[in-house]
Amino acid sequence: MKVLLMGHPNVGKSVIFNRLTGANVVSSNYPGTTVDYTQGYMRVFDRDIEIMDVPGTFSLDAKDKAEEVAVKMLMENPDAKIICVIDTSKLERGLYLALEIIERGFPLVLALNMWDVALDKNIVIDLQKLEVILGIPVVPTVAISGEGISTLVEKLIDVEPVDILHISNTMKLSCLMTSPGCAGCKGC
Amino acid sequence: MRISIDRMKYNQEGVFVGINNELRLHLAGMGLRAGKKIKMITREPLKGPVVIQVDHASISLGIGIADKLIVEVDE
């Protein structure tokens, strides 16, 4: 089994990679620290799982060399499972990339990293609702302290691809049920 | 009133109107899409970049992009 760590620049992919593999790749609080990929292994239930730390990318239409590497890696590993790492306080823009990856048929687990920072900023996220809408596991993590990492691995083992149409349907349903504060996705 | 992003004043808020070309996808990846509230954070002098806030993220845009993006602002 192969796992790709994908996400925007500077969301903590490399820190999660280090947590999962026990490696020590360079991570810094600066976008673009990882420009090439790193490979590592972890062992879960006597299975070797290959993990690849992918450079950060905003979308699957590559805009620079590092993003090209990221997109190429995804395309070269059609049977891989994806951990999409998102900076929790910038959830919405991260979902754009996650949806793009789901749309291409990859099984995906969402890691809402820097969960503690979002808490400090008083950002409240309805995890259950997000899971229902997306139909995929959503795991809050704090990579630097290790919180949520083991849950992430558990969920990763059984994750299945979801149909993007299913997401747009549940999205419309939940839109109908929600509040007047709707920004208007024009889906309903 | 509609103006381009680079003409916003410091701390001025507005709603992004949108753009209809290949830039749209690039911006969407950074969380900037039609209907989003944005706030001007800083505008560097001498044709330098523009920094705006969208949700909880700061985005910096080259002036060549910022002057093509239209926002709706109060007078």
Side-chain angles (χ1 to χ4, degrees):
Chain A
M1 183 166 128
K2 243 184 201 174
V3 175
L4 300 189
L5 275 162
M6 298 198 66
H8 283 187
N10 205 31
V11 295
K13 294 174 296 299
S14 298
V15 187
I16 291 188
F17 178 82
N18 287 347
R19 281 276 165 196
L20 291 172
T21 60
N24 190 23
V25 300
V26 177
S27 53
S28 63
N29 180 19
Y30 196 81
T33 307
T34 311
V35 288
D36 209 342
Y37 70 90
T38 328
Q39 241 170 315
Y41 293 88
M42 67 172 177
R43 204 166 186 138
V44 184
F45 305 132
D46 287 332
R47 273 167 78 187
D48 274 327
I49 298 177
E50 184 180 352
I51 302 174
M52 292 164 119
D53 185 21
V54 179
T57 181
F58 282 109
S59 71
L60 294 184
D61 319 282
K63 299 287 183 308
D64 56 48
K65 285 280 177 206
E67 293 200 355
E68 272 170 30
V69 173
V71 176
K72 193 165 157 245
M73 284 175 70
L74 186 69
M75 293 304 125
E76 281 173 358
N77 294 288
D79 50 352
K81 294 188 174 186
I82 314 294
I83 297 176
C84 186
V85 187
I86 285 181
D87 178 347
T88 308
S89 44
K90 298 166 190 169
L91 174 65
E92 191 195 306
R93 71 174 191 175
L95 285 177
Y96 182 85
L97 175 67
L99 288 171
E100 267 194 316
I101 301 170
I102 292 173
E103 198 172 18
R104 306 222 176 170
F106 289 91
L108 183 142
V109 179
L110 212 55
L112 297 189
N113 199 26
M114 305 191 214
W115 183 258
D116 54 336
V117 177
L119 279 185
D120 287 346
K121 291 183 183 169
N122 286 324
I123 296 171
V124 182
I125 288 162
D126 188 338
L127 281 173
Q128 280 178 328
K129 191 165 174 185
L130 197 56
E131 282 195 327
V132 169
I133 291 175
L134 296 175
I136 57 169
V138 179
V139 185
T141 60
V142 184
I144 48 167
S145 71
E147 271 172 77
I149 301 295
S150 55
T151 320
L152 192 63
V153 175
E154 269 169 43
K155 305 265 179 176
L156 185 68
I157 303 290
D158 307 315
V159 70
E160 294 289 333
V162 283
D163 189 348
I164 197 86
L165 289 174
H166 168 78
I167 296 177
S168 85
N169 286 336
T170 51
M171 188 67 220
K172 278 177 199 157
L173 275 175
S174 79
C175 236
L176 290 175
M177 291 187 293
T178 39
S179 49
C182 176
C185 64
K186 300 186 181 82
C188 40
Chain B
M1 183 175 60
R2 290 186 170 191
I3 57 170
S4 60
I5 284 184
D6 63 308
R7 293 178 55 204
M8 291 172 83
K9 299 186 182 72
Y10 293 131
N11 288 326
Q12 189 176 18
E13 295 182 4
V15 175
F16 183 48
V17 175
I19 183 168
N20 263 332
N21 63 16
E22 73 282 359
L23 269 176
R24 193 171 60 90
L25 289 177
H26 179 49
L27 295 167
M30 297 195 294
L32 188 57
R33 54 176 172 74
K36 272 280 168 194
K37 275 191 194 154
I38 64 173
K39 182 177 169 187
M40 166 65 72
I41 302 297
T42 185
R43 204 174 46 199
E44 300 298 331
L46 301 174
K47 300 194 172 178
V50 167
V51 181
I52 57 168
Q53 188 172 344
V54 183
D55 291 330
H56 290 265
S58 298
I59 300 178
S60 74
L61 299 165
I63 193 84
I65 291 178
D67 66 9
K68 292 187 186 66
L69 308 181
I70 305 300
V71 274
E72 180 80 48
V73 292
D74 295 333
E75 294 288 330

